[in-house]
Amino acid sequence: MSNKHFETEAVRIASSKSNQREHSAPIYMTSSFTFDSAEEARQMFAEEIPGNIYSRYANPNSSDLIEKVCAVEGTEDGIATASGMAAMFGSMASLLEQGDHILASRSLFGSTHQLLTRVFPKWGITSTYGDISDIENWDKLVKPNTKMLFIETPSNPGLEVIDLEWIGKFAKAHNLILVVDNCFATPYLQQPAKWGADIVAHSATKYIDGQGRVLGGLILGKQELIKEVQFFTRHTGPSISPFNAWILSRSMETLAIRMERHCANALAVASYFQDNKELEFVKYPFLKSHPQHDLAKKQMKHGGGIVTLTLKGGIERAQRFIDELQMITVTANLGDTRSIITHPASTTHSKLTEEERQRVGILPGLIRLSAGLEHHDDIIADIERALERSK
Ligand SMILES: *Cc1c(COP(=O)(O)O)cnc(C)c1O
């Protein structure tokens, strides 16, 4: 691995030039690749020599993206997928078998929760959720058939932070495959592999694209595990389109400067509103009031682009507030150039029971803000005005 900085790797790693000597990588929109001879075809299929065969297996654009992200995540190898969920599903389905058990942190992305509770049980793969606040008791949740530990940190939308050093050691002690969904932090803010994660999975749709254009996912990790995942993805076909891989590879070049601004804007909003009388509380990993502020500082470069504001007055107030926004977009995505607000209790997390929501910290008045790249004063002004008018 090279020892260049994140920004340099993200910009300078590139697939080898074609014979056109282009400076910016072309898009290889091709389903298959040709062989110079029957013998070359045989050797490539036998994996005796490297080379592209078919875009379901690999394509120069997906390889380019994988190489960049691996360099900055500190992982050996990877696979790019058509969406983040294809990455979450692929990393679990390829490494588990009937009878295995997954231990997971309770606050998971909605579709990941559906995989664990509705999809995998059909194939005899079960799971248990552990509370982050009760981490001392996780030993008791490990069963003889537990094979995988799956976590997200910071969590969505509770912004709970899991101690990566602790979880890395825990996984090792129990001989579990540790999978970390690193979508919220991105490799710019934290590199779970450094703390012992075996697999780092991403929804590249969020900050890696960062402009709300394409879906994509990544499964990254140790070569021996990636080999197994690769067998699964090659033959089940969740391959990313060369065009989307090309977009995401270009986006990697600006991830560092975009994350700097996302995080600065999120911190500005969180600091401005932390004592506001219309709010129960404001949660942001780099605010002193965050219960795991010190831990967040230890393992993250900045606090991330997501802030939660819990409004007084419950669901009705939160909905009135949303309807008063003039600039900030109301949509279910996050990690876009444009600031986005979501009300989890009535949308993304509406299928959970009230008790389940309480347990993961989703109060009725909680609003999730994904701070965009606008000027922070304009983001603050829009929120302040909507707070006033929704009283
Ligand atoms: C969005 C998201 C996913 C799923 O990614 P898609 O690209 O939408 O399939 C998984 N995990 C987290 C944390 C996410 O935010």
Side-chain angles (χ1 to χ4, degrees):
M1 210 176 296
S2 119
N3 55 5
K4 291 201 187 74
H5 294 90
F6 184 106
E7 292 83 347
T8 313
E9 298 282 43
V11 168
R12 283 289 166 185
I13 288 178
S15 53
S16 53
K17 287 189 188 7
S18 79
N19 58 14
Q20 301 294 330
R21 294 173 290 105
E22 69 280 350
H23 189 206
S24 175
I27 308 174
Y28 290 90
M29 291 303 281
T30 177
S31 346
S32 68
F33 300 84
T34 56
F35 308 109
D36 286 339
S37 64
E39 175 55 15
E40 189 186 65
R42 187 200 64 76
Q43 288 177 325
M44 279 192 191
F45 269 88
E47 294 183 40
E48 289 169 13
I49 56 169
N52 292 309
I53 297 175
Y54 190 60
S55 286
R56 171 152 48 77
Y57 288 18
N59 171 287
N61 294 118
S62 59
S63 304
D64 185 43
L65 170 65
I66 291 161
E67 200 186 328
K68 273 188 189 183
V69 188
C70 277
V72 296
E73 276 285 9
T75 46
E76 291 173 4
D77 202 357
I79 295 146
T81 57
S83 71
M85 283 322 298
M88 303 310 149
F89 178 70
S91 54
M92 292 189 247
S94 60
L95 298 172
L96 296 171
E97 47 194 83
Q98 189 177 15
D100 285 343
H101 173 257
I102 309 168
L103 174 58
S105 53
R106 188 178 298 282
S107 319
L108 291 183
F109 182 70
S111 293
T112 310
H113 169 71
Q114 300 294 351
L115 283 185
L116 295 187
T117 54
R118 307 270 294 276
V119 179
F120 283 120
K122 292 202 288 189
W123 301 318
I125 296 170
T126 55
S127 59
T128 305
Y129 285 134
D131 280 317
I132 299 168
S133 55
D134 189 30
I135 222 151
E136 308 79 43
N137 286 316
W138 275 34
D139 280 323
K140 300 191 189 102
L141 304 177
V142 178
K143 301 180 182 192
N145 60 337
T146 306
K147 187 158 174 204
M148 181 174 278
L149 187 53
F150 189 101
I151 64 154
E152 280 176 35
T153 179
S155 69
N156 175 21
L159 297 178
E160 291 171 295
V161 179
I162 301 179
D163 187 337
L164 287 171
E165 184 177 11
W166 179 84
I167 205 92
K169 287 183 182 152
F170 180 87
K172 210 175 179 94
H174 292 278
N175 198 22
L176 307 175
I177 301 170
L178 173 59
V179 183
V180 179
D181 179 340
N182 201 28
C183 163
F184 260 44
T186 81
Y188 185 63
L189 303 184
Q190 79 187 6
Q191 299 92 31
K194 203 167 71 183
W195 304 106
D198 300 294
I199 298 278
V200 179
H202 276 283
S203 165
T205 313
K206 311 295 167 52
Y207 289 105
I208 293 183
D209 173 39
Q211 291 152 81
R213 302 165 299 184
V214 302
L215 297 182
L218 289 150
I219 307 170
L220 314 162
K222 298 186 176 131
Q223 201 114 46
E224 77 219 52
L225 288 176
I226 292 298
K227 268 254 169 254
E228 279 184 63
V229 183
Q230 212 157 42
F231 172 80
F232 178 87
T233 54
R234 282 182 169 194
H235 302 295
T236 56
S239 336
I240 193 168
S241 138
F243 178 72
N244 288 4
W246 179 83
I247 293 262
L248 293 168
S249 181
R250 301 277 73 71
S251 298
M252 278 303 296
E253 298 179 8
T254 55
L255 182 65
I257 56 171
R258 287 187 286 107
M259 288 313 290
E260 285 288 340
R261 179 63 74 85
H262 282 300
C263 296
N265 281 355
L267 179 62
V269 170
S271 310
Y272 184 87
F273 288 105
Q274 60 182 337
D275 300 318
N276 190 289
K277 292 190 183 51
E278 297 304 313
L279 300 173
E280 303 271 10
F281 52 83
V282 173
K283 202 165 180 192
Y284 184 67
F286 270 33
L287 275 190
K288 282 230 165 58
S289 56
H290 190 287
Q292 296 148 307
H293 174 252
D294 291 342
L295 174 59
K297 286 246 162 177
K298 173 186 146 195
Q299 66 190 33
M300 296 172 73
K301 188 180 175 82
H302 300 300
I306 309 288
V307 185
T308 63
L309 310 167
T310 301
L311 276 72
K312 290 181 178 160
I315 289 202
E316 293 74 24
R317 173 76 190 278
Q319 291 183 323
R320 279 204 305 281
F321 167 81
I322 284 177
D323 290 339
E324 289 293 347
L325 291 168
Q326 288 190 331
M327 179 187 80
I328 300 174
T329 323
V330 185
T331 178
N333 200 10
L334 62 92
D336 198 308
T337 50
R338 292 153 287 196
S339 291
I340 289 170
I341 267 183
T342 316
H343 180 232
S346 66
T347 61
T348 51
H349 292 72
S350 59
K351 292 201 179 63
L352 272 63
T353 64
E354 188 64 46
E355 196 215 325
E356 284 174 323
R357 277 197 294 272
Q358 284 277 350
R359 256 208 291 216
V360 292
I362 305 173
L363 297 177
L366 183 140
I367 294 282
R368 184 187 76 190
L369 169 74
S370 165
L373 304 183
E374 304 96 340
H375 194 286
H376 55 73
D377 287 346
D378 295 323
I379 304 172
I380 288 171
D382 200 26
I383 295 173
E384 192 157 48
R385 188 184 154 283
L387 275 179
E388 264 318 294
R389 296 185 52 131
S390 59
K391 264 187 197 166

